[in-house]
Amino acid sequence: MVNTADNLYNSNLTLGSYSSGKENLPPKRLVRPSKYQCSPFDNDLRGPLTPSEKQLHSNIVALGKIEPDRRAVLVDKTSLSLGQLGNSFDTNGHVEAYVFNVFYRLLFRDNHPRQSKKHYFFTTIADYFLQAWTTEEGRISMRRRALISFSGAGTTLPLHESERLFFPSVHHEHWILFIVDIVARKFIFLDSVYDGESPFHMEVKDLMINNFLKTWEESRLRRMGFRNFGIEYP
């Protein structure tokens, strides 16, 4: 009934709110799609930075150069140094994988997968999906780490009961986010630069999806019909 009501509401968006006999008048109110028809990845800009935020940014970058080895963040057993944090914030630097790992650990701690229905994986898992090894020993080590990660995540919430799985990844020094949306039955790639038709994603897409499927199957997890999932680039 809810879906029927949403579809009926969205099918009349262009009509607005009219009175009988006044069909040529403009809508009385602005209309927008139901929230259930909107992508969760479409967000408004956060607005301008405040002076205090700009100063904080400058301080972090400066401290990262003065005391690069000093620990800046510790979430459970996942840590981040001032140098790694400052280099990630610096306009001339690059985002360190440790930043994502600490942030994802914080998301896990603040909102357990049993409540959030989401799993956030460290960047090393996507490295395995993208075959970022240089030796056979490296491949074996990364595969073992991926299987252990899937198994460990499943102890907090079975992966097949999750709504979304998040895999941050870097390829050719460019960061993207690969999401397995189990509810929407889609593989989603969030990218601020390249679209789905770019040479970048022509290279990344099959590697990421096929090696995710391989890891899922080797972990002996429940079949989810992943091969029927769609692919989306919001």
Side-chain angles (χ1 to χ4, degrees), residues 57 60-62 65 83-95:
H57 174 272
I60 291 174
V61 172
K65 296 176 180 178
Q84 293 163 343
L85 186 61
N87 187 48
S88 299
F89 279 19
D90 195 346
T91 54
N92 296 318
H94 65 275
V95 179

Side-chain angles (χ1 to χ4, degrees), residues 68-83:
D69 297 327
R70 183 173 179 177
R71 189 166 64 192
V73 182
L74 177 63
V75 181
D76 298 332
K77 295 182 180 180
T78 309
S79 63
L80 180 67
S81 72
L82 270 175

Side-chain angles (χ1 to χ4, degrees), residues 178-215:
F178 173 56
I179 303 172
V180 180
D181 193 327
I182 295 176
V183 174
R185 298 181 64 80
K186 291 180 180 179
F187 295 115
I188 298 172
F189 292 87
L190 296 186
D191 193 325
S192 60
V193 178
Y194 302 114
D195 60 29
E197 301 301 321
S198 65
F200 179 90
H201 279 288
M202 290 294 101
E203 179 182 0
V204 164
K205 178 182 64 175
D206 289 342
L207 280 175
M208 193 73 80
I209 293 176
N210 290 338
N211 284 310
F212 163 76
L213 296 179
K214 182 179 179 181
T215 305

Side-chain angles (χ1 to χ4, degrees), residues 86-119:
N87 187 48
S88 299
F89 279 19
D90 195 346
T91 54
N92 296 318
H94 65 275
V95 179
E96 299 271 3
Y98 299 99
V99 174
F100 284 99
N101 293 344
V102 166
F103 179 59
Y104 274 12
R105 189 63 192 175
L106 184 65
L107 292 176
F108 172 88
R109 191 181 69 176
D110 290 350
N111 196 0
H112 194 277
R114 283 195 296 269
Q115 282 73 49
S116 68
K117 303 298 182 183
K118 299 178 179 69
H119 277 298

